[in-house]
Amino acid sequence: MSLEKQLTETLELVTQMKSNNSLSQRTEETILLLSKTIKEEKPILVCGNGGSASDAAHITGELVGRFLKERKAINAICLSSNLSAITAWANDYSYETIFARQVEAHGKNGGALLAISTSGNSKNIILAIEKAKELGIPIIGLTGLGGGKMKELCDILIDVPSTSTPRIQELHIMLYHYICERIEKDYQG
């Protein structure tokens, strides 16, 4: 694929997102939920696998550190980053439950779980969502088109209009940068 073709494909997807009122509404609901979580000083837990693990780390870095303005830190925890917890639990028990175990450890009613999966079908993400539900934690899903199995489990699902993993990840970055910017703009801490 040429660069021109790739950029055209991404531009067409961004144009679809721009005119999708439902996607805009779900993004606004996400901002409200995360802002409420921050105001109540509850943790925002974020998880994903592979490239989505990097996205989880990126999002929490923007929230704990800063995005565009100086402010107090936001309580955001990347469940994909604690290598000791992940490898110990996976070795002794199961890779499928690495995030569920951390949700159990860090999750608080009133907090939020941001679960990222391009397919929406990652078993360890599904189990983390189920644990969050058990604990009364609202779930925001960030997926590709249709949401996979996560569609029925998330309180808010933001599924971008693509089934191509690289395009989904590109669109996710745009969305979570927007979400971080809006949260930071409204943050009074």
Side-chain angles (χ1 to χ4, degrees):
M1 176 184 296
S2 68
L3 177 60
E4 183 180 336
K5 184 173 180 180
Q6 182 176 330
L7 291 172
T8 299
E9 184 179 315
T10 301
L11 182 59
E12 287 170 0
L13 292 168
V14 170
T15 301
Q16 286 178 41
M17 287 173 58
K18 185 179 171 188
S19 63
N20 186 329
N21 292 332
S22 175
L23 183 76
S24 294
Q25 178 62 37
R26 288 177 276 140
T27 303
E28 292 304 312
E29 289 171 14
T30 295
I31 292 163
L32 289 173
L33 174 60
L34 294 178
S35 294
K36 178 179 180 278
T37 301
I38 293 163
K39 190 178 210 176
E40 293 176 0
E41 298 181 357
K42 303 290 181 159
I44 298 170
L45 308 178
V46 190
C47 61
N49 294 294
S52 297
S54 295
D55 287 336
H58 186 164
I59 294 165
T60 56
E62 303 291 19
L63 295 175
V64 172
R66 72 178 195 99
F67 187 66
L68 294 173
K69 75 174 197 178
E70 298 301 324
R71 55 159 171 80
K72 289 184 180 178
I74 292 171
N75 185 0
I77 302 168
C78 177
L79 304 182
S80 304
S81 295
N82 189 334
L83 296 179
S84 296
I86 289 169
T87 57
W89 189 260
N91 184 60
D92 294 346
Y93 295 94
S94 160
Y95 184 76
E96 290 182 345
T97 57
I98 59 169
F99 299 134
R101 183 64 170 184
Q102 292 181 81
V103 169
E104 182 180 347
H106 302 295
K108 294 193 181 344
N109 192 297
L113 173 65
L114 176 54
I116 310 169
S117 171
T118 57
S119 69
N121 295 318
S122 300
K123 182 69 174 174
N124 58 7
I125 300 294
I126 299 294
L127 292 174
I129 290 169
E130 289 172 353
K131 179 55 74 175
K133 281 194 168 304
E134 241 179 72
L135 298 173
I137 298 169
I139 300 112
I140 301 158
L142 201 53
T143 70
L145 184 65
K149 293 176 184 173
M150 287 173 56
K151 180 178 183 175
E152 301 303 319
L153 299 171
C154 294
D155 297 294
I156 303 169
L157 179 73
I158 302 176
D159 62 323
V160 298
S162 180
T163 57
S164 164
T165 297
R167 300 300 84 78
I168 293 166
Q169 291 172 337
E170 291 164 6
L171 300 173
H172 282 179
I173 290 170
M174 285 186 274
L175 280 171
Y176 69 69
H177 272 172
Y178 174 72
I179 290 166
C180 288
E181 184 173 355
R182 285 283 308 284
I183 286 169
E184 191 173 76
K185 182 180 176 212
D186 299 338
Y187 183 55
Q188 301 301 311

